[in-house]
């Protein structure tokens, strides 16, 4: 047994065990704090009340309805950002001419706080579905372009040169070398971006909606229904975690060849 | 096919005749390379003249930073020539192409493709019939003794195996010349010696025209039929040394007197003062 602790490998079982313990401790602490009454129920609802809220919301169908409308918005906004952002990012990471045009613009816009765009977007596209999709789009697009460009730039020069010396043209180099080589990193980027999309979804629904999970949270605040607020926040967390795990799983299956895959 | 088209539209060069008479594959004349940067210009090499004949194995040695890689990249069409010209058989260089295969110091196998598909990559680009592609892949897998790894991914290979596949991938494309930039320098001494022997054997059988850069003098003497020794920066050819050693070589050659003398002779030519 040698005594090295830094970056020591942990078995999969123990890893999972510790992860579950962390959740159990959190929920236990919450339960104790609320059941003993040391924190007022207005601030911290009893876990059973949150569970009750879920049961009620599932019964009257509002949970499913709000979740699906939120998922719909996220998917549409995200897919739009991905469809437009990936080609722009790849071109930017491949041709400096494109980078010179696009990078400064993106760097500038991405520092603008997305929630501040919400009123403007309402003026531009109204308060319909398009408004929420636009918020998610604006929130993710510029960041995505920059990150995809970095993914493209991360492809080693000599991999591209190897392609050239085997006879690839410029177009072939992009499609047969750069894109396949960057795919694992690109998918990791998408995995991160969908997390951001959830954040912007809530920004959008807090202000300009009358349905969706964000809206449910806001509405509950008016009635001081902390159980519903908790329920909404936790549900978003779970959905985020699920999408993240799904991405991680697909990436691992798809990119088994990747040198960095573990 | 496209190679022929490219060749036909190229302007006629005076140097054609000179180069063709000598049966030359790479003819570099008065090469100058200046790197421009914000700190000012760097003269990396000046007045470099090199002539690689058909089927020759030519090594370039020289102190670190003398421009060996730069020269190879210019031949490959990956770097701009500041002055002078390089002619490949009978045409000037207008960029990289399949006629100049290259093996790099870093590992450059495409990690998403199997070993077989890596070797097949250039053949597919050239739209060689599928059956022929398979035959060529199998042939070169045999040459590099990795038949069992046809369906493996690069991450399952050792460094030496990766470089062997890289050599096969370049050779499978039947280039006019094979350019190699310190392909074995990242390998351990044992693997390196094995690779040198394999490389020599491949050359004796397949007869590619090779331009090989190394800073390992022993490697250069063992492999080549001719060595160009470059001076330190700005690099220029100090001497062209013919390697008069037996044609059939194995590692025991390294212990013979002739080999050791030649190695010492080349070593004495290298400018060691730069460090
Ligand atoms: N992109 C660049 N910008 C500026 N200077 C460069 C650049 N690339 C190379 N050089 C300079 O040109 C000279 C030749 O470089 P090169 O890499 O060809 O040397 P080398 O002989 O291959 O060296 P080594 O044996 O270390 O590989 C070096 O002095 C280097 O500093
Ligand atoms: Mg070098």
């Amino acid at each position: 047994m040698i005594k090295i602790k830094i970056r020591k490998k942990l078995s999969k079982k123990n890893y999972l065990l510790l992860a579950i313990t962390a959740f159990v401790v959190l929920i236990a602490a919450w339960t104790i704090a609320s059941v003993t009454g040391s924190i007022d129920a207005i601030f911290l609802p009893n876990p059973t009340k949150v569970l009750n809220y879920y049961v009620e919301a599932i019964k009257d169908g509002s949970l499913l309805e709000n979740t699906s409308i939120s998922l719909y918005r996220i998917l549409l906004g995200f897919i739009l950002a991905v469809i437009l952002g990936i080609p722009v990012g790849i071109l930017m990471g491949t041709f400096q001419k494109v980078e010179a045009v696009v990078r400064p613009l993106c760097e500038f816009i991405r520092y603008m706080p997305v929630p501040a765009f919400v009123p403007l977007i309402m003026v531009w596209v109204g308060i319909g579905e398009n408004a929420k999709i636009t918020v998610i789009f604006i929130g993710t697009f510029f960041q995505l372009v920059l990150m995809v460009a970095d993914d493209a730039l991360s492809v080693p020069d000599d991999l591209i040169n190897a392609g050239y010396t085997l006879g690839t043209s410029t177009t072939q180099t992009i499609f047969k070398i750069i894109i396949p080589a960057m795919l694992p990193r690109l998918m990791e980027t998408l995995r991160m971006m969908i997390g951001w999309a959830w954040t912007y979804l809530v920004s959008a629904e807090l202000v300009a909606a009358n349905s969706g999970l964000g809206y449910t949270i806001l509405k509950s605040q008016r009635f001081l229904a902390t159980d519903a607020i908790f329920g909404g926040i936790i549900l978003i967390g779970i959905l985020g975690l699920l999408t993240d795990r799904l991405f991680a799983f697909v990436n691992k299956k798809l990119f088994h060849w990747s040198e960095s895959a573990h | 096919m496209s190679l022929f088209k490219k060749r036909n539209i190229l302007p006629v060069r005076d140097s054609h005749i000179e180069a063709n008479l000598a049966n030359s594959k790479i003819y570099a004349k008065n090469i100058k390379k200046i790197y421009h940067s914000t700190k000012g210009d760097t003269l990396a090499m000046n007045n470099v003249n090199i002539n690689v004949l058909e089927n020759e194995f030519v090594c370039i040695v020289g102190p670190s930073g003398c421009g060996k890689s730069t020269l190879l990249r210019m031949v490959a069409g990956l770097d701009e020539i500041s002055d002078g010209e390089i002619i490949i058989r009978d045409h000037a260089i207008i960029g990289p192409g399949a006629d100049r295969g290259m093996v790099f110091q870093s590992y450059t196998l495409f990690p998403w493709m199997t070993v077989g598909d890596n070797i097949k990559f250039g053949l597919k680009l050239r739209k060689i019939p599928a059956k022929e592609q398979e035959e060529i892949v199998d042939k070169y897998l045999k040459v590099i003794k990795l038949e069992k790894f046809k369906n493996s991914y690069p991450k399952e290979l050792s460094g030496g195996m990766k470089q062997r596949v890289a050599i096969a991938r370049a050779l499978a494309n039947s280039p006019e010349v094979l350019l190699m930039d310190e392909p074995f320098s990242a390998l351990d001494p044992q693997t390196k010696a094995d690779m040198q022997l394999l490389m020599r054997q491949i050359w004796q059988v397949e007869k590619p025209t090779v331009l090989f850069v190394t800073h390992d003098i022993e490697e250069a003497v063992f492999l080549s039929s001719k060595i160009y020794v470059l001076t330190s920066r700005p690099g220029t050819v100090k001497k062209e040394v013919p390697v008069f050693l037996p044609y059939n070589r194995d590692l025991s050659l390294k212990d013979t007197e002739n080999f050791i003398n030649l190695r010492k002779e080349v070593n004495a030519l290298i400018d060691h003062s730069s460090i």
Side-chain angles (χ1 to χ4, degrees), chain B residues 119 136-147 198:
Chain B
I119 299 176
I136 296 173
V137 168
D138 290 338
K139 176 190 160 188
Y140 282 97
L141 278 170
K142 208 167 163 189
V143 168
I144 57 166
K145 305 187 176 101
L146 286 178
E147 296 101 318
L198 180 71

Side-chain angles (χ1 to χ4, degrees), chain B residues 55-261:
Chain B
N55 304 341
E56 239 186 342
F57 198 126
V58 174
C59 275
I60 296 178
V61 296
S64 190
C66 71
K68 304 184 292 295
S69 300
T70 306
L71 179 62
L72 216 57
R73 294 167 52 81
M74 289 192 293
V75 175
L78 298 168
D79 226 331
E80 205 86 46
I81 304 167
S82 304
D83 197 20
E85 63 178 338
I86 299 178
I87 290 153
I88 304 298
R89 214 176 65 175
D90 61 356
H91 60 284
I93 292 170
I94 47 169
D99 56 337
R100 284 148 291 144
M102 187 150 174
V103 179
F104 298 81
Q105 181 175 6
S106 56
Y107 302 131
T108 56
L109 294 186
F110 305 129
W112 60 94
M113 289 181 196
T114 60
V115 166
D117 286 341
N118 263 284
I119 299 176
K120 211 185 280 173
F121 186 81
L123 307 173
K124 266 190 186 157
L125 287 177
R126 283 162 52 217
K127 302 204 166 62
I128 305 255
K131 195 165 151 275
E132 212 174 311
Q133 285 183 22
E134 282 312 318
E135 285 165 10
I136 296 173
V137 168
D138 290 338
K139 176 190 160 188
Y140 282 97
L141 278 170
K142 208 167 163 189
V143 168
I144 57 166
K145 305 187 176 101
L146 286 178
E147 296 101 318
K148 289 202 193 90
F149 290 86
K150 185 173 181 179
N151 297 315
S152 305
Y153 283 88
K155 78 165 182 180
E156 300 161 56
L157 306 182
S158 70
M161 289 153 98
K162 281 181 191 164
Q163 290 305 64
R164 265 142 79 191
V165 179
I167 293 168
R169 182 176 69 179
L171 283 175
N173 226 6
S174 38
E176 295 265 5
V177 295
L178 178 61
L179 309 170
M180 304 179 83
D181 189 0
E182 306 200 32
F184 309 144
S185 63
L187 307 176
D188 64 89
Q190 178 61 49
T191 312
K192 190 175 182 175
D194 294 344
M195 292 292 288
Q196 290 167 357
L197 184 60
L198 180 71
M199 192 62 222
R200 177 71 195 187
Q201 285 167 347
I202 291 175
W203 180 75
Q204 283 172 195
V205 176
E206 301 283 323
K207 281 278 176 298
T209 306
V210 184
L211 184 58
F212 190 107
V213 162
T214 178
H215 56 247
D216 183 337
I217 292 154
E218 189 183 77
E219 181 168 87
V221 175
F222 180 76
L223 287 173
S224 64
S225 28
K226 183 164 92 191
I227 299 173
Y228 283 102
V229 182
L230 301 192
T231 64
S232 52
R233 203 177 75 192
T236 183
V237 176
K238 188 168 190 178
K239 199 167 177 201
E240 179 185 327
V241 184
V243 178
F244 294 123
L245 288 173
Y247 178 77
N248 289 311
R249 301 180 190 179
D250 57 42
L251 291 173
S252 64
L253 178 75
K254 290 185 180 180
D255 302 321
T256 63
E257 208 183 317
N258 283 345
F259 184 92
I260 294 168
N261 286 341

